Amino acid sequence: MNLQHHKNTIADKGFSVIDNVFSTEEIEKISEVIRNIDTSKETFRKSEDLFAIRQFLKEIPEVKDLIFNENLKTIIKEIFGENYFVVKSIYFDKPEKSNWYVAYHQDLTISVDKKVELENFGPWTTKQNQFAVQPPLNILENIFTIRIHLDDTDEHNGALKVVPKSHAKGIYRPETIDWNVETENICSVEKGGVMIMKPLLLHGSNRTTNGKKRRVIHIEFSDRELPEELNWSERMH
């Protein structure tokens, strides 16, 4: 793995794909843990189009050692740096027949432990007693997201489409995208591979058309401390 190359690509384009981070056997073990969980909890969201587990690493702690294998730990250290910690984790499963479609957007919120009035923090949203807020830009710009793929993913089963370099343009309203200037890139990722992206990268995904499922573990990392009144709700070293 030429990690310096990936580090440069992420800085320049806002994303990079690294194959073979997990072996077939490791992916099977992770999948097995997920298959055997109690899905009735309120942090789990289940519909025909999507199954999602919020606070994934907290809800299923036994998966943590499987996910943070030597390859992933090396990637985090070399690309992000020594001081990064987990601040958010979600498991997504787009089933085979899913019509789930996601329009272009940036990931503009962080998950925190409570709602407090703070300068430059807002707007706020609350879902299932979980608090999310849009923090100042410098916090968003510093986050890295790793998306671990448990299935082969391409344009036919909802691979992410992204606008390269859009992560460096601050808050970017999707309706203002000028396609004469911007390009679209479809991020195919093989099973066992990861996509690393900056949350300000404009991204979306199309409906699944090939009848194949797409399961992704989404983990966000930061090295920033929040104002003392506030804590990252899923902070984990």
Side-chain angles (χ1 to χ4, degrees):
M1 292 190 288
N2 179 355
L3 294 181
Q4 188 58 48
H5 161 74
H6 289 293
K7 187 174 182 172
N8 296 344
T9 305
I10 294 162
D12 175 39
K13 293 189 172 165
F15 68 99
S16 193
V17 172
I18 307 179
D19 290 320
N20 302 316
V21 176
F22 296 88
S23 67
T24 309
E25 190 184 23
E26 286 173 315
I27 291 293
E28 192 40 54
K29 279 184 180 161
I30 293 168
S31 304
E32 194 179 342
V33 171
I34 294 168
R35 269 199 303 275
N36 292 326
I37 55 183
D38 168 15
T39 57
S40 62
K41 293 184 181 172
E42 63 170 26
T43 41
F44 299 178
R45 171 180 169 187
K46 206 169 173 66
S47 71
E48 274 181 27
D49 282 335
L50 180 73
F51 171 54
I53 303 172
R54 295 179 181 283
Q55 304 209 16
F56 177 64
L57 294 173
K58 263 191 182 170
E59 293 288 355
I60 307 165
E62 60 270 35
V63 89
K64 200 177 157 190
D65 288 343
L66 297 170
I67 287 172
F68 289 94
N69 68 3
E70 287 311 313
N71 282 345
L72 199 70
K73 286 197 269 202
T74 304
I75 287 168
I76 292 163
K77 203 169 104 182
E78 301 283 326
I79 295 181
F80 306 173
E82 295 278 0
N83 302 321
Y84 271 77
F85 46 87
V86 172
V87 294
K88 190 182 208 170
S89 60
I90 312 173
Y91 167 75
F92 292 108
D93 177 354
K94 274 193 183 182
E96 297 86 334
K97 297 182 173 58
S98 175
N99 277 319
W100 188 260
Y101 161 85
V102 182
Y104 267 111
H105 66 286
Q106 295 173 301
D107 292 342
L108 294 175
T109 63
I110 59 171
S111 296
V112 292
D113 62 336
K114 57 182 166 304
K115 183 175 178 179
V116 285
E117 288 308 317
L118 282 173
E119 203 180 338
N120 297 325
F121 280 77
W124 288 80
T125 52
T126 310
K127 267 188 217 164
Q128 297 171 321
N129 211 15
Q130 297 190 56
F131 303 96
V133 65
Q134 185 170 321
L137 201 57
N138 67 322
I139 292 178
L140 289 173
E141 286 174 340
N142 232 50
I143 292 172
F144 286 93
T145 300
I146 293 185
R147 295 168 58 90
I148 299 165
H149 286 251
L150 305 184
D151 302 291
D152 288 328
T153 309
D154 59 24
E155 70 271 27
H156 305 298
N157 64 333
L160 277 196
K161 45 185 191 176
V162 302
V163 179
K165 297 179 184 276
S166 53
H167 70 299
K169 301 183 180 182
I171 305 294
Y172 192 144
R173 299 279 162 223
E175 62 276 11
T176 66
I177 298 174
D178 180 354
W179 290 112
N180 297 315
V181 181
E182 304 288 15
T183 54
E184 177 173 280
N185 191 309
I186 306 271
C187 297
S188 297
V189 185
E190 291 173 8
K191 174 179 176 172
V194 305
M195 175 188 175
I196 300 177
M197 61 178 267
K198 302 296 286 175
L200 292 175
L201 183 75
L202 278 163
H203 59 285
S205 62
N206 294 333
R207 295 177 175 87
T208 298
T209 55
N210 66 357
K212 290 185 179 168
K213 66 196 303 184
R214 187 202 79 166
R215 294 166 302 152
V216 171
I217 297 166
H218 168 118
I219 307 176
E220 293 175 22
F221 299 81
S222 174
D223 65 347
R224 292 288 158 100
E225 297 302 335
L226 298 174
E228 59 185 55
E229 306 91 310
L230 210 53
N231 296 296
W232 297 99
S233 66
E234 293 179 59
R235 180 172 184 151
M236 194 179 283
H237 274 286

